[in-house]
């Protein structure tokens, strides 16, 4: 039997850990961490084995399928592409380019194919482009754009060298970091303390990360913006800022100081749910540390205050002299480096809006919160066809449960995905890429956010099956199908031939050659794909280096501490009290990620779902006692927009008044191809979140901090099914 071991990366999350895949015959026998990997050094999390599980999953689609009634039947690639081209071109000819909508999901970022997805977006020239970014990192991009001049300049936390790490709304011990790629975050956090540094976690839940820290501060959901303003007040009023750094590099100091003056710790404390003395101490300790950084992520992005919070995070890092220096917030120097060109890429906000005028475009996309309405609301400008690529927005975005119905109402819908999911089950044609273990790649995106500069090579473990296509090949064909080519019969084959030469490895090779380590700059010593491929764990390109002065993209080349819109929004916020629960909604709902779960799509791999039910509502014992609820019982969670039934989990790790339910569950819809997932379905928490609740600055869906109430589900089934749109309830 053929036995061999192939080194590549696990591409399930941003950490992209190096793995060694042992193969026996045509089966994955084992997946282990690659000790030579320059970033992960042998670490893997339990999800790595899912790379094998996905590859062998009998439910994974291996050929394109076409809808026939309520079933899918296999169809050939050429036939599929021809039909897609015909339908999409006809819809565009009749209704215009924006009648074709597109949604780009998270896994697209995990291979170079994602770039071809962007090219498809360009070829479609539609205003109705959506992605997971507007329920993810938009606030960080927005803050970076306003402060550093470009959304591509999102800073990275230099956690390997910091003396003080304050983590806000992130749980890297489980997620392994995001917009700061840090495989084995647990060890890296422990290392901060072993070096004599301090770690503080600010989170409504005493998370896996908080348990590794010196201190846990249980903020009220959404209280961070006040906490940070209170800290800023102390830093400024007590003269604890780094005046030299501020003078050398920043503008807006006076305006910022005037704002902070309005929010002393006593003002901040009740709104943040953190006492004034703690806020004072956090500020003083932050300023006293040799280096200190605040790292913030999703828990404070998906908030109505998302952009303001990330602005204040960057601001505190900057005014304490911790921007662009070791141990602070830095900018990576990746092998494919867009940063020097950031000043030429002018970002636009509000170039267009959705039809209601409520949601503005950012970059070139509209907030996902607008998607179902843009399909459903009839009239001029309505979306009539959709393309989805590597996304499951029916589960992953709040749409009042209307997205499935919306997708069904389309004239045509094509999905690029390897499963029939809650989303793709509504498609007319599904085009499946080969499995992740069948593709060869060099990921250029995550080195932009890595805690150490690096480049790694992804070798295919298995030859793609005959006729199998990678996502980029699918995208390339879709592009040729939708391009408005003059004489299609002659020009389409030429476009096909161009794409045949333009594979991800060549594209990566060109970007690397032109980058800071490439042959154009370094001659024969330069880094190439071939060289990286020969290195057992990839290329270590050294620690993060200060570089902001050469890449900053604001016109005056200074860091803007006080963008006017942010100041105005913060002032308005301070003028109002925080909303207390009303109409019987008395608990704040936040999200939660589990180690063996990855957004919506690992629930069909046996090793990822074994053990106890993970789609639970986590509640404090005092809240459970008040309501007469007990651990393990079924409860109904109700918000203003919907109801779901989940198992109650009682634990004192969560702040009283707060409940946490993970997203990505709810595999209950008929016809979904995930058979195992359907047997352990969980419920879709996004039915509880109101799509209208967004960060007003960036349009990001605010899925943390939704008001809910929780009651026992026993004997209440009829009420629930009336409230929960299109969710068949489990029959007890
Ligand atoms: N309530 C709540 N909602 C959230 C979040 C939250 O914290 N709370 N988190 C948000 C975040 S951060 C994100 S990133 C989004 C994710 O949301 P999405 O990006 O919409 O969805 P995923 O659940 O990641 O689903 C990915 C889909 O891609 C398919 N897929 C996997 N790999 C590939 C591939 O290589 N090629 C192709 N073509 N398809 C592939 C899978 O089968 C699956 O159907 O969810 C968001 N939703
Ligand atoms: N195992 C696993 N790993 C993943 C993923 C996964 O689904 N599973 N998803 C990947 C993706 S797409 C992403 S974007 C990253 C996300 O990576 P992280 O940002 O680390 O994601 P979470 O684990 O959701 O952590 C968010 C934290 O914010 C807290 N929080 C909620 N509301 C508030 C608040 O108001 N204030 C504060 N201070 N904290 C709050 C929550 O309790 C939670 O601990 O993870 C990636 N890695
Ligand atoms: S942390 Fe886990 S899921 Fe993420 S890349 Fe590493 S092994 Fe894969
Ligand atoms: Mo994400």
């Amino acid at each position: 039997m053929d036995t061999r071991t192939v080194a590549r990366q696990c591409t399930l999350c941003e950490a992209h850990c190096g793995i060694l895949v042992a193969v026996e015959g045509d089966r994955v026998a084992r997946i282990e961490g690659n000790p030579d990997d320059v970033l992960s050094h042998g670490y893997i999390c339990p999800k790595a084995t899912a790379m094998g599980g996905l590859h062998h999953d009998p439910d994974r689609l291996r050929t394109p399928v076409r809808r026939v009634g309520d079933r899918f039947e296999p169809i050939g690639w050429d036939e599929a592409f021809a039909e897609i081209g015909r339908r999409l071109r006809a819809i565009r000819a009749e209704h215009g380019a924006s009648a074709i909508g597109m949604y780009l999901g998270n896994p697209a970022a995990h291979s170079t194919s994602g770039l071809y997805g962007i090219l498809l977006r360009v070829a479609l020239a539609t205003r109705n482009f959506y992605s997971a970014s507007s329920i993810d990192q938009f606030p960080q991009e927005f803050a970076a754009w306003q402060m550093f001049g470009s959304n591509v300049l999102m800073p990275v936390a230099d956690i390997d060298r910091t003396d003080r790490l304050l983590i806000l709304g992130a749980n890297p011990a489980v997620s392994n970091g995001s917009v700061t790629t840090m495989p084995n975050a647990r060890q890296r956090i422990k290392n901060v303390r072993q070096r004599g540094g301090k770690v503080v976690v600010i989170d409504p839940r005493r998370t896996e990360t908080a348990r590794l820290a010196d201190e846990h501060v249980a903020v009220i959901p959404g209280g961070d913006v006040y906490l940070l303003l209170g800290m800023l007040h102390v830093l400024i009023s007590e003269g604890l800022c780094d005046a030299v750094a501020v003078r050398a590099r920043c503008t807006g100091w006076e305006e910022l100081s005037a704002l902070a003056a309005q929010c002393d710790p006593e003002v901040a404390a009740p709104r943040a749910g953190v006492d004034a003395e703690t806020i004072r101490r956090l500020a003083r300790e932050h300023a006293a540390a040799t280096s200190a950084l605040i790292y913030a992520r999703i828990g404070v992005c998906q908030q109505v205050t998302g952009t303001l919070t990330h602005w204040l995070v960057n601001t505190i890092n900057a005014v304490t002299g911790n921007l662009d220096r070791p141990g602070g917030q830095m900018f990576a120097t990746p092998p494919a480096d867009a940063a020097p060109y950031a000043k030429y890429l002018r970002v636009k906000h509000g170039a267009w809006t959705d039809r209601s005028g409520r949601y503005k475009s950012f970059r070139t996309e509209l907030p996902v919160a607008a998607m179902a309405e843009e399909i459903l609301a009839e009239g001029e400008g309505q979306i009539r066809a959709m393309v989805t690529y590597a996304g499951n927005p029916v589960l992953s975005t709040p749409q009042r449960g209307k997205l499935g119905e919306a997708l069904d109402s389309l004239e045509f819908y094509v999905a690029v995905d390897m499963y029939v999911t809650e989303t793709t089950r509504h498609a007319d044609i599904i085009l499946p890429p080969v499995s992740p273990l069948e593709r060869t790649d060099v990921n250029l995106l995550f080195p932009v956010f890595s805690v150490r500069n690096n480049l790694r090579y992804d070798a295919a473990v298995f030859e793609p099956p005959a006729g199998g296509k990678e996502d980029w090949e699918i995208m390339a064909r879709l592009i040729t199908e939708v391009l408005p080519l003059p004489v299609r019969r002659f020009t389409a084959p030429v476009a096909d031939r161009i794409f045949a030469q333009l594979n991800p490895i060549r594209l990566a090779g060109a970007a690397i050659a032109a980058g800071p380590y490439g042959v154009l700059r370094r001659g024969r010593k330069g880094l190439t794909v071939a060289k990286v491929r020969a290195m057992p764990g990839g290329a270590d390109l050294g620690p993060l280096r200060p570089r902001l002065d050469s890449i900053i993209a604001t016109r005056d080349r200074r860091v803007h501490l006080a963008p006017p819109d942010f100041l105005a929004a913060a002032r308005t916020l301070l003028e109002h009290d925080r909303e207390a629960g009303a109409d019987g909604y008395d608990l704040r709902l936040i999200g939660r990620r589990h180690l063996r779960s990855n957004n919506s799509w690992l629930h069909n791999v046996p090793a990822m779902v074994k053990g106890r039910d993970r789609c639970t509502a986590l509640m404090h014992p005092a809240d459970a006692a008040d309501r007469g609820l007990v651990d393990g019982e079924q409860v109904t969670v109700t918000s203003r927009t919907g109801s779901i039934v989940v198992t109650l989990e009682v634990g004192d790790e969560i702040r009283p008044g707060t409940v946490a339910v993970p997203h990505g569950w709810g595999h209950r819809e008929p016809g979904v191809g995930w058979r195992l997932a359907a047997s352990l379905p969980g419920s879709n928490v996004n039915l509880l979140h109101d799509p209208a609740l967004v960060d007003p600055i960036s349009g990001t869906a605010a899925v943390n901090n939704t008001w809910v109430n929780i009651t026992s589900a026993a004997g209440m089934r009829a009420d629930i099914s009336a409230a929960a749109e299109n969710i068949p309830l489990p029959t007890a």
Side-chain angles (χ1 to χ4, degrees):
M1 198 189 333
D2 170 31
T3 56
R4 61 207 166 87
T5 300
V6 182
R8 57 164 293 128
Q9 288 155 64
C10 168
T11 51
L12 293 174
C13 87
E14 268 173 65
H16 272 224
C17 300
I19 53 175
L20 297 174
V21 185
V23 177
E24 289 173 7
D26 59 0
R27 303 286 304 176
V28 173
R30 250 180 347 274
I31 294 185
E32 287 167 352
N34 179 359
D36 293 324
D37 187 276
V38 295
L39 201 62
S40 58
H41 306 291
Y43 170 83
I44 48 169
C45 86
K47 287 196 295 305
T49 61
M51 291 288 282
L54 291 167
H55 180 76
H56 294 300
D57 189 346
D59 293 343
R60 183 166 60 81
L61 294 175
R62 271 116 174 134
T63 60
V65 290
R66 170 178 32 197
R67 162 173 308 286
V68 180
D70 55 6
R71 299 202 0 246
F72 283 107
E73 286 182 358
I75 173 180
W77 284 102
D78 287 335
E79 205 185 339
F81 284 122
E83 178 166 344
I84 294 164
R86 210 163 42 236
R87 301 290 300 271
L88 292 182
R89 290 196 303 269
I91 290 168
R92 188 178 52 200
E94 193 178 341
H95 302 287
S98 296
I100 305 175
M102 179 170 174
Y103 175 84
L104 189 77
N106 168 283
H110 293 269
S111 76
T112 308
S113 289
L115 281 178
Y116 296 75
I118 304 293
L119 290 179
L120 175 62
R121 183 257 172 284
V122 173
L124 286 171
T126 173
R127 294 186 161 196
N128 279 307
F129 178 68
Y130 304 85
S131 83
S133 299
S134 56
I135 186 167
D136 190 336
Q137 84 289 353
F138 256 19
Q140 281 169 271
E141 290 191 45
F142 208 104
W145 170 50
Q146 290 289 299
M147 298 180 75
F148 312 125
S150 173
N151 64 318
V152 306
L153 300 181
M154 279 192 286
V156 173
D158 186 20
I159 78 163
D160 287 353
R161 288 182 290 180
T162 195
D163 299 300
R164 185 175 173 84
L165 174 60
L166 202 140
I167 298 176
L168 194 75
N171 188 13
V174 165
S175 67
N176 279 299
S178 177
V179 193
T180 288
T181 300
M182 45 171 137
N184 205 357
R186 293 183 75 86
Q187 192 55 50
R188 291 175 198 268
I189 290 165
K190 285 185 193 160
N191 290 348
V192 177
R193 298 183 63 191
Q194 268 156 24
R195 293 197 293 272
K198 286 264 184 301
V199 180
V200 180
V201 171
I202 298 181
D203 197 303
R205 180 165 79 85
R206 194 170 67 250
T207 58
E208 296 76 357
T209 307
R211 283 177 221 148
L212 302 173
D214 294 275
E215 184 178 356
H216 169 227
V217 178
V219 67
I220 296 185
D224 309 81
V225 66
Y226 308 98
L227 174 81
L228 294 174
L229 278 170
M231 282 177 70
L232 198 58
H233 177 99
V234 177
L235 291 169
I236 295 176
S237 65
E238 297 186 6
L240 302 176
C241 295
D242 183 336
V244 178
V246 171
R247 223 173 297 126
R249 179 173 263 168
C250 307
T251 64
W253 171 256
E254 280 74 27
E255 296 89 329
L256 183 72
S257 305
L259 173 74
Q262 283 178 261
C263 187
D264 65 26
E266 279 66 29
V267 170
R271 296 165 184 214
V274 177
D275 62 81
E277 241 356 271
T278 302
I279 298 176
R280 269 201 184 87
R281 183 173 50 76
L282 286 174
R284 290 172 187 154
E285 288 175 0
H286 208 75
T290 321
S291 65
L293 74 87
I294 309 182
Y295 165 65
R297 195 56 186 99
I298 210 98
V300 291
C301 276
Q302 303 157 330
Q303 296 274 358
V304 291
T305 51
T307 304
L308 291 183
T309 307
H310 277 281
W311 159 54
L312 292 168
V313 166
N314 295 347
T315 294
I316 292 183
N317 286 328
V319 299
T320 54
N322 287 300
L323 179 63
D324 198 37
R325 78 154 187 211
Q329 243 183 348
M330 301 191 76
F331 299 87
T333 311
D337 191 14
Y341 311 101
K343 46 183 165 289
Y344 308 112
L345 309 167
R346 289 287 159 212
V347 178
K348 290 206 177 99
H349 180 229
W352 61 87
T353 68
D354 71 325
R355 286 177 295 160
S356 76
R358 200 167 165 255
Y359 300 104
K360 289 182 178 166
S361 65
F362 176 52
R363 302 202 229 113
T364 65
E365 67 181 89
L366 283 170
V368 75
M371 196 161 73
E373 272 312 303
E374 289 305 281
I375 300 173
L376 284 171
E378 283 177 17
E380 185 70 11
Q382 183 181 6
I383 299 177
R384 295 168 195 269
M386 277 296 291
V387 181
T388 65
Y389 164 24
N392 192 4
V394 167
L395 291 192
S396 59
T397 67
Q399 308 278 353
R400 284 186 179 261
K402 290 202 279 193
L403 188 57
E405 171 200 335
L407 294 171
D408 273 340
S409 75
L410 290 166
E411 285 175 31
F412 189 68
Y413 166 25
V414 51
V416 183
D417 202 301
M418 58 261 229
Y419 287 105
V420 181
T421 70
E422 293 71 18
T423 301
T424 65
R425 79 180 181 91
H426 300 282
D428 293 289
I429 291 182
I430 308 177
L431 304 172
V434 295
S435 103
L437 293 183
E438 288 164 343
R439 62 189 187 213
T440 308
D441 200 4
V442 177
N443 189 290
L444 299 178
L445 179 62
F446 295 115
V448 177
F449 303 117
S450 283
V451 288
R452 206 172 156 91
N453 296 313
N454 72 88
L455 185 68
R456 294 170 295 159
Y457 183 82
D458 263 331
V461 175
F462 299 102
E463 281 292 310
K469 293 192 191 305
E470 290 192 30
D471 282 308
W472 73 270
E473 295 172 282
I474 299 173
M475 292 299 132
R477 279 294 296 271
L478 291 176
I479 292 167
T480 17
E481 289 297 340
V482 301
L483 274 179
L485 296 172
V487 195
R488 175 153 294 281
R489 195 145 50 94
F490 303 110
T491 48
V494 179
D496 272 349
R497 230 168 294 140
I498 294 172
F499 275 117
Q501 298 302 315
L502 202 72
N503 66 39
I505 299 295
R506 289 222 175 95
L507 204 68
I512 294 162
Y517 313 92
V519 288
L520 296 183
R521 196 115 10 127
R522 301 212 172 161
R524 284 168 58 191
K525 285 207 187 116
L527 191 66
T528 62
V529 171
K531 284 185 193 169
V532 176
R533 184 180 178 176
M535 299 176 182
D540 177 16
L541 302 171
L544 305 182
R545 302 187 283 278
R547 66 182 309 220
L548 183 58
D549 291 336
S550 67
I551 57 175
I552 190 157
T554 49
R555 285 181 209 273
D556 57 5
R557 308 190 58 77
R558 296 174 76 81
V559 173
H560 293 196
L561 297 178
D565 291 349
F566 294 1
L567 279 182
R571 276 197 218 99
T572 311
L573 211 60
L574 287 174
E575 281 159 18
H576 295 91
D577 287 334
R578 291 203 66 190
E579 182 204 12
D583 324 333
Y585 299 102
D586 52 2
L587 294 161
R588 294 176 188 269
L589 171 66
I590 61 169
R592 178 179 185 186
R593 283 174 157 74
H594 286 99
L595 197 52
R596 286 170 195 271
S597 189
N598 196 31
N599 298 321
S600 73
W601 65 286
L602 290 188
H603 303 150
N604 208 51
V605 178
M608 298 299 112
V609 287
K610 68 172 188 233
R612 52 199 282 269
D613 181 10
R614 279 194 294 273
C615 184
T616 63
L618 175 66
M619 180 186 258
H620 192 271
D623 289 326
D626 278 354
R627 292 163 180 75
L629 300 172
V630 293
D631 186 75
E633 80 171 290
Q634 295 293 296
V635 291
T636 309
V637 188
T638 305
S639 74
R640 290 185 177 102
T641 60
S643 258
I644 60 171
V645 176
V646 287
T647 307
L648 185 71
E649 181 184 347
V650 177
D652 68 0
E653 68 198 75
I654 188 125
R655 185 187 160 103
T658 307
V659 287
V661 179
H663 73 285
W665 296 89
H667 310 289
R668 292 165 188 252
E669 306 205 359
V672 170
W674 282 325
R675 284 175 293 177
L676 176 62
S679 70
L680 303 156
S683 292
N684 178 5
V685 75
N686 277 320
L687 292 171
L688 302 177
H689 299 299
D690 184 351
L693 210 65
V694 297
D695 166 18
I697 299 179
S698 68
T700 305
V703 295
N704 276 305
N705 196 14
T706 290
W707 284 108
V708 296
N709 66 40
I710 296 194
T711 52
S712 174
M716 288 189 58
R717 219 133 258 170
D719 293 347
I720 305 154
S721 57
E725 294 173 13
N726 68 41
I727 309 236
L729 286 160
T731 41

